[in-house]
Amino acid sequence: MEEVIKLLKESEAMLEGHFLLSSGRHGDRYFQCAKLLQYPDRAAAALKGVADRLRADIQAGRLGIDAIVGPAMGGIIVAYELGRQLGLPAFFTERDDTGAMTLRRGFELSPGQRILIAEDVVTTTKSSGESAKVLESLGAKVVALACIVDRRAEGVSAPWPLYPAAKVDVANWESTDCELCKKGIPAIKPGSRKF
Ligand SMILES: [Zn+2]
């Protein structure tokens, strides 16, 4: 996990500072995993530990996976890379014009197909849950969740076994009660357009 943190920092995929998070809270770290995943060798290195743990559980009979699904955009490359390392097909769910998560492009599921969901960052498991709902409505079964960064707050449980490449604690506060604001440090709003 230390190695993964190093890769995230080297790629500027983990920024440390004072950030306005999408939740509206303020935090001391911000992740943009695409900055790491742009380098195929770093993507492979960051996810090797996850692939090894998944493979070990598959070989021990504790887990069965037929395919990997990465919710767009963040999960696509993570799913692909894990699929490459594990020899499994990898595809993705995506939002339609109304914002609803869907399975499109002719990707097909078979009844009972066992799915690993792959994400870049897991904070609340909300988007994984939306994908799981779609996949399960089509007859598949979600069996596990993998990610690069597990930055869940204490007490946020995952509905499936979670395989993170790194677990990172992010200090965060209500905007009205932010330790970094109190120090007079300006908050930065990271946005996809900036990257
Ligand atoms: Zn603040």
Side-chain angles (χ1 to χ4, degrees), residues 15-30 123 151 153 169-190:
L15 302 178
E16 293 170 286
H18 180 195
F19 303 100
L20 177 55
L21 306 175
S22 54
S23 62
R25 293 172 71 88
H26 289 196
D28 67 349
R29 288 198 170 91
Y30 179 76
T123 306
R151 51 148 291 187
D169 291 317
V170 178
N172 67 98
W173 308 270
E174 287 295 340
S175 58
T176 50
D177 187 36
C178 171
E179 294 299 326
L180 300 171
C181 283
K182 285 177 196 164
K183 287 182 190 163
I185 303 166
I188 295 165
K189 186 180 182 181

PDB file of all heavy atoms in Angstrom, residues 15-30 123 151 153 169-190:
ATOM      1  N   LEU A  15      -3.438  14.889  -4.357  1.00  0.00           N
ATOM      2  CA  LEU A  15      -2.992  16.231  -4.018  1.00  0.00           C
ATOM      3  C   LEU A  15      -3.254  16.478  -2.545  1.00  0.00           C
ATOM      4  O   LEU A  15      -4.286  16.080  -2.009  1.00  0.00           O
ATOM      5  CB  LEU A  15      -3.747  17.259  -4.861  1.00  0.00           C
ATOM      6  CG  LEU A  15      -3.638  17.112  -6.383  1.00  0.00           C
ATOM      7  CD1 LEU A  15      -4.475  18.169  -7.080  1.00  0.00           C
ATOM      8  CD2 LEU A  15      -2.186  17.190  -6.834  1.00  0.00           C
ATOM      9  N   GLU A  16      -2.295  17.137  -1.899  1.00  0.00           N
ATOM     10  CA  GLU A  16      -2.469  17.498  -0.501  1.00  0.00           C
ATOM     11  C   GLU A  16      -2.557  19.010  -0.402  1.00  0.00           C
ATOM     12  O   GLU A  16      -1.794  19.725  -1.042  1.00  0.00           O
ATOM     13  CB  GLU A  16      -1.308  16.936   0.323  1.00  0.00           C
ATOM     14  CG  GLU A  16      -1.353  15.414   0.354  1.00  0.00           C
ATOM     15  CD  GLU A  16      -0.128  14.754   0.944  1.00  0.00           C
ATOM     16  OE1 GLU A  16       0.909  14.735   0.256  1.00  0.00           O
ATOM     17  OE2 GLU A  16      -0.212  14.262   2.073  1.00  0.00           O
ATOM     18  N   GLY A  17      -3.534  19.484   0.348  1.00  0.00           N
ATOM     19  CA  GLY A  17      -3.749  20.918   0.455  1.00  0.00           C
ATOM     20  C   GLY A  17      -5.074  21.190   1.146  1.00  0.00           C
ATOM     21  O   GLY A  17      -5.389  20.565   2.147  1.00  0.00           O
ATOM     22  N   HIS A  18      -5.856  22.057   0.536  1.00  0.00           N
ATOM     23  CA  HIS A  18      -7.135  22.467   1.124  1.00  0.00           C
ATOM     24  C   HIS A  18      -8.152  22.510  -0.008  1.00  0.00           C
ATOM     25  O   HIS A  18      -8.078  23.383  -0.869  1.00  0.00           O
ATOM     26  CB  HIS A  18      -6.944  23.853   1.774  1.00  0.00           C
ATOM     27  CG  HIS A  18      -8.178  24.393   2.421  1.00  0.00           C
ATOM     28  ND1 HIS A  18      -8.296  25.711   2.778  1.00  0.00           N
ATOM     29  CD2 HIS A  18      -9.329  23.794   2.789  1.00  0.00           C
ATOM     30  CE1 HIS A  18      -9.484  25.895   3.336  1.00  0.00           C
ATOM     31  NE2 HIS A  18     -10.132  24.758   3.351  1.00  0.00           N
ATOM     32  N   PHE A  19      -9.055  21.545  -0.018  1.00  0.00           N
ATOM     33  CA  PHE A  19      -9.935  21.370  -1.172  1.00  0.00           C
ATOM     34  C   PHE A  19     -11.407  21.431  -0.807  1.00  0.00           C
ATOM     35  O   PHE A  19     -11.822  20.933   0.241  1.00  0.00           O
ATOM     36  CB  PHE A  19      -9.637  20.025  -1.853  1.00  0.00           C
ATOM     37  CG  PHE A  19      -8.210  19.893  -2.272  1.00  0.00           C
ATOM     38  CD1 PHE A  19      -7.307  19.167  -1.501  1.00  0.00           C
ATOM     39  CD2 PHE A  19      -7.748  20.529  -3.414  1.00  0.00           C
ATOM     40  CE1 PHE A  19      -5.973  19.079  -1.874  1.00  0.00           C
ATOM     41  CE2 PHE A  19      -6.424  20.441  -3.787  1.00  0.00           C
ATOM     42  CZ  PHE A  19      -5.523  19.715  -3.021  1.00  0.00           C
ATOM     43  N   LEU A  20     -12.179  22.023  -1.712  1.00  0.00           N
ATOM     44  CA  LEU A  20     -13.632  21.969  -1.623  1.00  0.00           C
ATOM     45  C   LEU A  20     -14.054  20.679  -2.326  1.00  0.00           C
ATOM     46  O   LEU A  20     -13.896  20.550  -3.539  1.00  0.00           O
ATOM     47  CB  LEU A  20     -14.229  23.205  -2.305  1.00  0.00           C
ATOM     48  CG  LEU A  20     -15.755  23.285  -2.379  1.00  0.00           C
ATOM     49  CD1 LEU A  20     -16.379  23.162  -0.995  1.00  0.00           C
ATOM     50  CD2 LEU A  20     -16.172  24.600  -3.024  1.00  0.00           C
ATOM     51  N   LEU A  21     -14.555  19.723  -1.562  1.00  0.00           N
ATOM     52  CA  LEU A  21     -14.901  18.408  -2.115  1.00  0.00           C
ATOM     53  C   LEU A  21     -16.288  18.446  -2.755  1.00  0.00           C
ATOM     54  O   LEU A  21     -17.089  19.332  -2.473  1.00  0.00           O
ATOM     55  CB  LEU A  21     -14.853  17.356  -1.007  1.00  0.00           C
ATOM     56  CG  LEU A  21     -13.532  17.285  -0.218  1.00  0.00           C
ATOM     57  CD1 LEU A  21     -13.644  16.299   0.934  1.00  0.00           C
ATOM     58  CD2 LEU A  21     -12.371  16.900  -1.129  1.00  0.00           C
ATOM     59  N   SER A  22     -16.565  17.446  -3.590  1.00  0.00           N
ATOM     60  CA  SER A  22     -17.859  17.438  -4.293  1.00  0.00           C
ATOM     61  C   SER A  22     -19.029  17.322  -3.317  1.00  0.00           C
ATOM     62  O   SER A  22     -20.151  17.723  -3.624  1.00  0.00           O
ATOM     63  CB  SER A  22     -17.899  16.312  -5.328  1.00  0.00           C
ATOM     64  OG  SER A  22     -17.592  15.084  -4.724  1.00  0.00           O
ATOM     65  N   SER A  23     -18.761  16.805  -2.129  1.00  0.00           N
ATOM     66  CA  SER A  23     -19.807  16.693  -1.103  1.00  0.00           C
ATOM     67  C   SER A  23     -20.156  18.044  -0.482  1.00  0.00           C
ATOM     68  O   SER A  23     -21.127  18.157   0.255  1.00  0.00           O
ATOM     69  CB  SER A  23     -19.320  15.760   0.008  1.00  0.00           C
ATOM     70  OG  SER A  23     -18.164  16.325   0.615  1.00  0.00           O
ATOM     71  N   GLY A  24     -19.316  19.064  -0.771  1.00  0.00           N
ATOM     72  CA  GLY A  24     -19.520  20.366  -0.133  1.00  0.00           C
ATOM     73  C   GLY A  24     -18.640  20.549   1.095  1.00  0.00           C
ATOM     74  O   GLY A  24     -18.483  21.659   1.604  1.00  0.00           O
ATOM     75  N   ARG A  25     -18.071  19.443   1.572  1.00  0.00           N
ATOM     76  CA  ARG A  25     -17.174  19.544   2.720  1.00  0.00           C
ATOM     77  C   ARG A  25     -15.785  19.994   2.265  1.00  0.00           C
ATOM     78  O   ARG A  25     -15.491  19.991   1.071  1.00  0.00           O
ATOM     79  CB  ARG A  25     -17.090  18.186   3.434  1.00  0.00           C
ATOM     80  CG  ARG A  25     -18.410  17.779   4.093  1.00  0.00           C
ATOM     81  CD  ARG A  25     -18.362  16.358   4.611  1.00  0.00           C
ATOM     82  NE  ARG A  25     -17.491  16.197   5.791  1.00  0.00           N
ATOM     83  CZ  ARG A  25     -17.887  16.366   7.038  1.00  0.00           C
ATOM     84  NH1 ARG A  25     -19.129  16.697   7.309  1.00  0.00           N
ATOM     85  NH2 ARG A  25     -17.049  16.186   8.047  1.00  0.00           N
ATOM     86  N   HIS A  26     -14.963  20.381   3.215  1.00  0.00           N
ATOM     87  CA  HIS A  26     -13.579  20.729   2.904  1.00  0.00           C
ATOM     88  C   HIS A  26     -12.676  19.582   3.360  1.00  0.00           C
ATOM     89  O   HIS A  26     -12.927  18.976   4.397  1.00  0.00           O
ATOM     90  CB  HIS A  26     -13.174  22.024   3.626  1.00  0.00           C
ATOM     91  CG  HIS A  26     -13.834  23.240   3.058  1.00  0.00           C
ATOM     92  ND1 HIS A  26     -13.402  24.522   3.314  1.00  0.00           N
ATOM     93  CD2 HIS A  26     -14.897  23.352   2.209  1.00  0.00           C
ATOM     94  CE1 HIS A  26     -14.186  25.382   2.667  1.00  0.00           C
ATOM     95  NE2 HIS A  26     -15.099  24.704   2.006  1.00  0.00           N
ATOM     96  N   GLY A  27     -11.633  19.294   2.585  1.00  0.00           N
ATOM     97  CA  GLY A  27     -10.749  18.193   2.926  1.00  0.00           C
ATOM     98  C   GLY A  27      -9.294  18.529   2.669  1.00  0.00           C
ATOM     99  O   GLY A  27      -8.995  19.514   1.981  1.00  0.00           O
ATOM    100  N   ASP A  28      -8.412  17.699   3.212  1.00  0.00           N
ATOM    101  CA  ASP A  28      -6.977  17.975   3.065  1.00  0.00           C
ATOM    102  C   ASP A  28      -6.318  17.151   1.952  1.00  0.00           C
ATOM    103  O   ASP A  28      -5.118  17.247   1.739  1.00  0.00           O
ATOM    104  CB  ASP A  28      -6.250  17.776   4.399  1.00  0.00           C
ATOM    105  CG  ASP A  28      -6.222  16.323   4.853  1.00  0.00           C
ATOM    106  OD1 ASP A  28      -6.938  15.478   4.258  1.00  0.00           O
ATOM    107  OD2 ASP A  28      -5.497  16.023   5.821  1.00  0.00           O
ATOM    108  N   ARG A  29      -7.129  16.318   1.266  1.00  0.00           N
ATOM    109  CA  ARG A  29      -6.566  15.543   0.143  1.00  0.00           C
ATOM    110  C   ARG A  29      -7.576  15.485  -0.979  1.00  0.00           C
ATOM    111  O   ARG A  29      -8.783  15.465  -0.752  1.00  0.00           O
ATOM    112  CB  ARG A  29      -6.242  14.106   0.581  1.00  0.00           C
ATOM    113  CG  ARG A  29      -5.049  14.027   1.499  1.00  0.00           C
ATOM    114  CD  ARG A  29      -4.528  12.603   1.538  1.00  0.00           C
ATOM    115  NE  ARG A  29      -3.249  12.555   2.218  1.00  0.00           N
ATOM    116  CZ  ARG A  29      -3.100  12.343   3.516  1.00  0.00           C
ATOM    117  NH1 ARG A  29      -4.153  12.140   4.276  1.00  0.00           N
ATOM    118  NH2 ARG A  29      -1.900  12.302   4.063  1.00  0.00           N
ATOM    119  N   TYR A  30      -7.056  15.418  -2.193  1.00  0.00           N
ATOM    120  CA  TYR A  30      -7.937  15.277  -3.355  1.00  0.00           C
ATOM    121  C   TYR A  30      -7.311  14.274  -4.309  1.00  0.00           C
ATOM    122  O   TYR A  30      -6.101  14.311  -4.557  1.00  0.00           O
ATOM    123  CB  TYR A  30      -8.122  16.628  -4.057  1.00  0.00           C
ATOM    124  CG  TYR A  30      -9.010  16.503  -5.269  1.00  0.00           C
ATOM    125  CD1 TYR A  30     -10.391  16.383  -5.116  1.00  0.00           C
ATOM    126  CD2 TYR A  30      -8.474  16.460  -6.552  1.00  0.00           C
ATOM    127  CE1 TYR A  30     -11.215  16.224  -6.220  1.00  0.00           C
ATOM    128  CE2 TYR A  30      -9.293  16.305  -7.660  1.00  0.00           C
ATOM    129  CZ  TYR A  30     -10.659  16.193  -7.484  1.00  0.00           C
ATOM    130  OH  TYR A  30     -11.460  16.036  -8.576  1.00  0.00           O
ATOM    131  N   THR A 123     -15.693   6.285  -2.029  1.00  0.00           N
ATOM    132  CA  THR A 123     -15.962   7.201  -0.920  1.00  0.00           C
ATOM    133  C   THR A 123     -17.213   6.761  -0.169  1.00  0.00           C
ATOM    134  O   THR A 123     -17.202   6.605   1.049  1.00  0.00           O
ATOM    135  CB  THR A 123     -16.169   8.640  -1.440  1.00  0.00           C
ATOM    136  OG1 THR A 123     -15.044   8.996  -2.227  1.00  0.00           O
ATOM    137  CG2 THR A 123     -16.288   9.620  -0.286  1.00  0.00           C
ATOM    138  N   ARG A 151     -11.187   5.676   0.337  1.00  0.00           N
ATOM    139  CA  ARG A 151     -11.117   6.857   1.206  1.00  0.00           C
ATOM    140  C   ARG A 151     -12.430   7.029   1.977  1.00  0.00           C
ATOM    141  O   ARG A 151     -12.851   8.128   2.274  1.00  0.00           O
ATOM    142  CB  ARG A 151     -10.752   8.123   0.420  1.00  0.00           C
ATOM    143  CG  ARG A 151     -11.569   8.405  -0.807  1.00  0.00           C
ATOM    144  CD  ARG A 151     -11.718   9.885  -1.045  1.00  0.00           C
ATOM    145  NE  ARG A 151     -12.555  10.461  -0.023  1.00  0.00           N
ATOM    146  CZ  ARG A 151     -12.988  11.719  -0.009  1.00  0.00           C
ATOM    147  NH1 ARG A 151     -12.652  12.534  -0.956  1.00  0.00           N
ATOM    148  NH2 ARG A 151     -13.780  12.161   0.946  1.00  0.00           N
ATOM    149  N   ALA A 153     -15.027   7.280   4.859  1.00  0.00           N
ATOM    150  CA  ALA A 153     -14.968   7.779   6.231  1.00  0.00           C
ATOM    151  C   ALA A 153     -15.244   6.608   7.167  1.00  0.00           C
ATOM    152  O   ALA A 153     -15.808   5.588   6.757  1.00  0.00           O
ATOM    153  CB  ALA A 153     -16.011   8.872   6.420  1.00  0.00           C
ATOM    154  N   ASP A 169      -6.818   7.876   4.728  1.00  0.00           N
ATOM    155  CA  ASP A 169      -7.703   8.676   5.576  1.00  0.00           C
ATOM    156  C   ASP A 169      -7.644  10.117   5.122  1.00  0.00           C
ATOM    157  O   ASP A 169      -6.566  10.696   5.017  1.00  0.00           O
ATOM    158  CB  ASP A 169      -7.278   8.575   7.044  1.00  0.00           C
ATOM    159  CG  ASP A 169      -7.549   7.186   7.589  1.00  0.00           C
ATOM    160  OD1 ASP A 169      -8.638   6.653   7.290  1.00  0.00           O
ATOM    161  OD2 ASP A 169      -6.680   6.634   8.284  1.00  0.00           O
ATOM    162  N   VAL A 170      -8.795  10.675   4.825  1.00  0.00           N
ATOM    163  CA  VAL A 170      -8.870  12.076   4.421  1.00  0.00           C
ATOM    164  C   VAL A 170      -9.547  12.842   5.543  1.00  0.00           C
ATOM    165  O   VAL A 170     -10.686  12.553   5.901  1.00  0.00           O
ATOM    166  CB  VAL A 170      -9.690  12.227   3.121  1.00  0.00           C
ATOM    167  CG1 VAL A 170      -9.799  13.691   2.722  1.00  0.00           C
ATOM    168  CG2 VAL A 170      -9.058  11.423   1.998  1.00  0.00           C
ATOM    169  N   ALA A 171      -8.817  13.811   6.102  1.00  0.00           N
ATOM    170  CA  ALA A 171      -9.437  14.662   7.112  1.00  0.00           C
ATOM    171  C   ALA A 171     -10.382  15.604   6.382  1.00  0.00           C
ATOM    172  O   ALA A 171     -10.008  16.201   5.374  1.00  0.00           O
ATOM    173  CB  ALA A 171      -8.368  15.448   7.856  1.00  0.00           C
ATOM    174  N   ASN A 172     -11.617  15.675   6.837  1.00  0.00           N
ATOM    175  CA  ASN A 172     -12.531  16.620   6.207  1.00  0.00           C
ATOM    176  C   ASN A 172     -13.517  17.191   7.200  1.00  0.00           C
ATOM    177  O   ASN A 172     -13.780  16.614   8.245  1.00  0.00           O
ATOM    178  CB  ASN A 172     -13.199  16.011   4.971  1.00  0.00           C
ATOM    179  CG  ASN A 172     -14.145  14.883   5.318  1.00  0.00           C
ATOM    180  OD1 ASN A 172     -15.352  15.063   5.419  1.00  0.00           O
ATOM    181  ND2 ASN A 172     -13.589  13.691   5.532  1.00  0.00           N
ATOM    182  N   TRP A 173     -14.016  18.361   6.858  1.00  0.00           N
ATOM    183  CA  TRP A 173     -14.828  19.148   7.783  1.00  0.00           C
ATOM    184  C   TRP A 173     -15.990  19.800   7.048  1.00  0.00           C
ATOM    185  O   TRP A 173     -15.923  20.011   5.839  1.00  0.00           O
ATOM    186  CB  TRP A 173     -13.968  20.280   8.371  1.00  0.00           C
ATOM    187  CG  TRP A 173     -12.674  19.856   8.965  1.00  0.00           C
ATOM    188  CD1 TRP A 173     -12.464  19.487  10.259  1.00  0.00           C
ATOM    189  CD2 TRP A 173     -11.389  19.752   8.320  1.00  0.00           C
ATOM    190  NE1 TRP A 173     -11.137  19.153  10.449  1.00  0.00           N
ATOM    191  CE2 TRP A 173     -10.450  19.313   9.280  1.00  0.00           C
ATOM    192  CE3 TRP A 173     -10.941  19.987   7.012  1.00  0.00           C
ATOM    193  CZ2 TRP A 173      -9.104  19.111   8.993  1.00  0.00           C
ATOM    194  CZ3 TRP A 173      -9.595  19.776   6.715  1.00  0.00           C
ATOM    195  CH2 TRP A 173      -8.705  19.344   7.703  1.00  0.00           C
ATOM    196  N   GLU A 174     -17.029  20.165   7.807  1.00  0.00           N
ATOM    197  CA  GLU A 174     -18.074  21.034   7.262  1.00  0.00           C
ATOM    198  C   GLU A 174     -17.403  22.358   6.885  1.00  0.00           C
ATOM    199  O   GLU A 174     -16.479  22.798   7.585  1.00  0.00           O
ATOM    200  CB  GLU A 174     -19.167  21.301   8.307  1.00  0.00           C
ATOM    201  CG  GLU A 174     -20.090  20.110   8.597  1.00  0.00           C
ATOM    202  CD  GLU A 174     -20.930  19.716   7.386  1.00  0.00           C
ATOM    203  OE1 GLU A 174     -21.103  20.552   6.467  1.00  0.00           O
ATOM    204  OE2 GLU A 174     -21.404  18.565   7.360  1.00  0.00           O
ATOM    205  N   SER A 175     -17.884  22.998   5.821  1.00  0.00           N
ATOM    206  CA  SER A 175     -17.228  24.226   5.361  1.00  0.00           C
ATOM    207  C   SER A 175     -17.243  25.316   6.439  1.00  0.00           C
ATOM    208  O   SER A 175     -16.385  26.193   6.470  1.00  0.00           O
ATOM    209  CB  SER A 175     -17.905  24.734   4.084  1.00  0.00           C
ATOM    210  OG  SER A 175     -19.276  24.958   4.333  1.00  0.00           O
ATOM    211  N   THR A 176     -18.226  25.245   7.332  1.00  0.00           N
ATOM    212  CA  THR A 176     -18.341  26.261   8.392  1.00  0.00           C
ATOM    213  C   THR A 176     -17.427  25.976   9.574  1.00  0.00           C
ATOM    214  O   THR A 176     -17.311  26.785  10.486  1.00  0.00           O
ATOM    215  CB  THR A 176     -19.797  26.321   8.902  1.00  0.00           C
ATOM    216  OG1 THR A 176     -20.223  24.981   9.195  1.00  0.00           O
ATOM    217  CG2 THR A 176     -20.717  26.938   7.865  1.00  0.00           C
ATOM    218  N   ASP A 177     -16.815  24.778   9.553  1.00  0.00           N
ATOM    219  CA  ASP A 177     -16.046  24.371  10.728  1.00  0.00           C
ATOM    220  C   ASP A 177     -14.717  23.747  10.297  1.00  0.00           C
ATOM    221  O   ASP A 177     -14.267  22.748  10.840  1.00  0.00           O
ATOM    222  CB  ASP A 177     -16.884  23.346  11.533  1.00  0.00           C
ATOM    223  CG  ASP A 177     -16.226  23.013  12.858  1.00  0.00           C
ATOM    224  OD1 ASP A 177     -15.618  23.918  13.464  1.00  0.00           O
ATOM    225  OD2 ASP A 177     -16.314  21.840  13.289  1.00  0.00           O
ATOM    226  N   CYS A 178     -14.113  24.358   9.252  1.00  0.00           N
ATOM    227  CA  CYS A 178     -12.932  23.758   8.630  1.00  0.00           C
ATOM    228  C   CYS A 178     -11.653  24.268   9.299  1.00  0.00           C
ATOM    229  O   CYS A 178     -11.425  25.475   9.394  1.00  0.00           O
ATOM    230  CB  CYS A 178     -12.935  24.083   7.134  1.00  0.00           C
ATOM    231  SG  CYS A 178     -11.419  23.629   6.298  1.00  0.00           S
ATOM    232  N   GLU A 179     -10.837  23.311   9.717  1.00  0.00           N
ATOM    233  CA  GLU A 179      -9.577  23.662  10.388  1.00  0.00           C
ATOM    234  C   GLU A 179      -8.646  24.456   9.475  1.00  0.00           C
ATOM    235  O   GLU A 179      -7.899  25.323   9.923  1.00  0.00           O
ATOM    236  CB  GLU A 179      -8.851  22.394  10.859  1.00  0.00           C
ATOM    237  CG  GLU A 179      -9.557  21.613  11.952  1.00  0.00           C
ATOM    238  CD  GLU A 179      -9.727  22.437  13.229  1.00  0.00           C
ATOM    239  OE1 GLU A 179      -8.839  23.258  13.531  1.00  0.00           O
ATOM    240  OE2 GLU A 179     -10.768  22.264  13.902  1.00  0.00           O
ATOM    241  N   LEU A 180      -8.697  24.156   8.173  1.00  0.00           N
ATOM    242  CA  LEU A 180      -7.803  24.835   7.237  1.00  0.00           C
ATOM    243  C   LEU A 180      -8.308  26.244   6.933  1.00  0.00           C
ATOM    244  O   LEU A 180      -7.507  27.169   6.773  1.00  0.00           O
ATOM    245  CB  LEU A 180      -7.655  23.994   5.960  1.00  0.00           C
ATOM    246  CG  LEU A 180      -7.069  22.591   6.205  1.00  0.00           C
ATOM    247  CD1 LEU A 180      -7.147  21.745   4.947  1.00  0.00           C
ATOM    248  CD2 LEU A 180      -5.634  22.662   6.701  1.00  0.00           C
ATOM    249  N   CYS A 181      -9.632  26.415   6.871  1.00  0.00           N
ATOM    250  CA  CYS A 181     -10.201  27.769   6.710  1.00  0.00           C
ATOM    251  C   CYS A 181      -9.806  28.635   7.906  1.00  0.00           C
ATOM    252  O   CYS A 181      -9.453  29.807   7.746  1.00  0.00           O
ATOM    253  CB  CYS A 181     -11.725  27.716   6.607  1.00  0.00           C
ATOM    254  SG  CYS A 181     -12.339  27.182   4.996  1.00  0.00           S
ATOM    255  N   LYS A 182      -9.870  28.019   9.104  1.00  0.00           N
ATOM    256  CA  LYS A 182      -9.539  28.770  10.325  1.00  0.00           C
ATOM    257  C   LYS A 182      -8.100  29.285  10.286  1.00  0.00           C
ATOM    258  O   LYS A 182      -7.781  30.306  10.879  1.00  0.00           O
ATOM    259  CB  LYS A 182      -9.735  27.883  11.565  1.00  0.00           C
ATOM    260  CG  LYS A 182     -11.196  27.679  11.926  1.00  0.00           C
ATOM    261  CD  LYS A 182     -11.340  26.736  13.112  1.00  0.00           C
ATOM    262  CE  LYS A 182     -12.757  26.228  13.245  1.00  0.00           C
ATOM    263  NZ  LYS A 182     -12.847  25.047  14.124  1.00  0.00           N
ATOM    264  N   LYS A 183      -7.238  28.542   9.572  1.00  0.00           N
ATOM    265  CA  LYS A 183      -5.832  28.967   9.451  1.00  0.00           C
ATOM    266  C   LYS A 183      -5.657  29.995   8.340  1.00  0.00           C
ATOM    267  O   LYS A 183      -4.539  30.440   8.061  1.00  0.00           O
ATOM    268  CB  LYS A 183      -4.946  27.756   9.158  1.00  0.00           C
ATOM    269  CG  LYS A 183      -4.761  26.844  10.348  1.00  0.00           C
ATOM    270  CD  LYS A 183      -3.828  25.689   9.993  1.00  0.00           C
ATOM    271  CE  LYS A 183      -3.821  24.637  11.076  1.00  0.00           C
ATOM    272  NZ  LYS A 183      -3.274  23.360  10.586  1.00  0.00           N
ATOM    273  N   GLY A 184      -6.769  30.320   7.638  1.00  0.00           N
ATOM    274  CA  GLY A 184      -6.704  31.334   6.592  1.00  0.00           C
ATOM    275  C   GLY A 184      -6.161  30.826   5.265  1.00  0.00           C
ATOM    276  O   GLY A 184      -5.794  31.602   4.389  1.00  0.00           O
ATOM    277  N   ILE A 185      -6.117  29.477   5.110  1.00  0.00           N
ATOM    278  CA  ILE A 185      -5.627  28.912   3.839  1.00  0.00           C
ATOM    279  C   ILE A 185      -6.800  28.877   2.847  1.00  0.00           C
ATOM    280  O   ILE A 185      -7.864  28.368   3.188  1.00  0.00           O
ATOM    281  CB  ILE A 185      -5.089  27.475   4.066  1.00  0.00           C
ATOM    282  CG1 ILE A 185      -3.978  27.487   5.130  1.00  0.00           C
ATOM    283  CG2 ILE A 185      -4.623  26.849   2.761  1.00  0.00           C
ATOM    284  CD1 ILE A 185      -3.620  26.117   5.675  1.00  0.00           C
ATOM    285  N   PRO A 186      -6.644  29.438   1.648  1.00  0.00           N
ATOM    286  CA  PRO A 186      -7.774  29.413   0.699  1.00  0.00           C
ATOM    287  C   PRO A 186      -8.077  28.000   0.191  1.00  0.00           C
ATOM    288  O   PRO A 186      -7.157  27.211  -0.049  1.00  0.00           O
ATOM    289  CB  PRO A 186      -7.307  30.322  -0.444  1.00  0.00           C
ATOM    290  CG  PRO A 186      -5.846  30.477  -0.293  1.00  0.00           C
ATOM    291  CD  PRO A 186      -5.456  30.135   1.108  1.00  0.00           C
ATOM    292  N   ALA A 187      -9.369  27.680   0.058  1.00  0.00           N
ATOM    293  CA  ALA A 187      -9.774  26.355  -0.436  1.00  0.00           C
ATOM    294  C   ALA A 187      -9.797  26.362  -1.961  1.00  0.00           C
ATOM    295  O   ALA A 187     -10.221  27.332  -2.580  1.00  0.00           O
ATOM    296  CB  ALA A 187     -11.150  26.001   0.104  1.00  0.00           C
ATOM    297  N   ILE A 188      -9.320  25.273  -2.545  1.00  0.00           N
ATOM    298  CA  ILE A 188      -9.301  25.120  -4.004  1.00  0.00           C
ATOM    299  C   ILE A 188     -10.442  24.195  -4.393  1.00  0.00           C
ATOM    300  O   ILE A 188     -10.675  23.176  -3.738  1.00  0.00           O
ATOM    301  CB  ILE A 188      -7.960  24.510  -4.459  1.00  0.00           C
ATOM    302  CG1 ILE A 188      -6.822  25.481  -4.160  1.00  0.00           C
ATOM    303  CG2 ILE A 188      -7.994  24.157  -5.938  1.00  0.00           C
ATOM    304  CD1 ILE A 188      -5.455  24.853  -4.226  1.00  0.00           C
ATOM    305  N   LYS A 189     -11.157  24.554  -5.451  1.00  0.00           N
ATOM    306  CA  LYS A 189     -12.214  23.671  -5.950  1.00  0.00           C
ATOM    307  C   LYS A 189     -11.694  22.877  -7.138  1.00  0.00           C
ATOM    308  O   LYS A 189     -11.586  23.400  -8.241  1.00  0.00           O
ATOM    309  CB  LYS A 189     -13.439  24.486  -6.358  1.00  0.00           C
ATOM    310  CG  LYS A 189     -14.609  23.618  -6.748  1.00  0.00           C
ATOM    311  CD  LYS A 189     -15.810  24.423  -7.144  1.00  0.00           C
ATOM    312  CE  LYS A 189     -16.979  23.482  -7.469  1.00  0.00           C
ATOM    313  NZ  LYS A 189     -18.152  24.228  -7.886  1.00  0.00           N
ATOM    314  N   PRO A 190     -11.323  21.617  -6.921  1.00  0.00           N
ATOM    315  CA  PRO A 190     -10.823  20.834  -8.049  1.00  0.00           C
ATOM    316  C   PRO A 190     -11.986  20.429  -8.940  1.00  0.00           C
ATOM    317  O   PRO A 190     -13.029  20.012  -8.436  1.00  0.00           O
ATOM    318  CB  PRO A 190     -10.185  19.608  -7.391  1.00  0.00           C
ATOM    319  CG  PRO A 190     -10.582  19.646  -5.960  1.00  0.00           C
ATOM    320  CD  PRO A 190     -11.469  20.817  -5.712  1.00  0.00           C
TER     321      PRO A 190
END
